[in-house]
Amino acid sequence: TFIVNLSDEDLQRFLKTSIAVEMDSEDGLEEANRRMPQIKDHIVTLLPTKTSKEILSAEGKNVLRTQLMEGLNGLLSTGRITALYFTDFVIQ
């Protein structure tokens, strides 16, 4: 679960989200577990660059999903993330 400030200018808004991923191999899963600090850092660095308006719609969530998958796959060498799911997504 991640809780971050969003970059809205009018109000201070927060995003609370949980993310689950599917990997293409057991080796990729092992590598992802070893690189978890880098993965979490990428997520908490990307999320606060978004505004609530950008990620409130289904299209915005899909763009964010794609950006996260591309960034996280760039960190991995032995496996690939094949799907990323938001299992919790609350903006306040």
Side-chain angles (χ1 to χ4, degrees), residues 13 18 29 34 37 48-49 53 55 66 69 72 82 85-86:
R13 297 192 190 273
S18 298
L29 182 59
R34 284 192 314 271
T49 67
K53 185 176 180 180
I55 58 176
T66 300
M69 284 181 61
L72 296 177
T82 56
Y85 305 100
F86 296 112

Side-chain angles (χ1 to χ4, degrees), residues 65-81:
R65 179 179 290 115
T66 300
Q67 290 173 338
L68 283 167
M69 284 181 61
E70 288 173 355
L72 296 177
N73 279 328
L75 297 172
L76 303 172
S77 59
T78 59
R80 306 287 296 161
I81 295 172

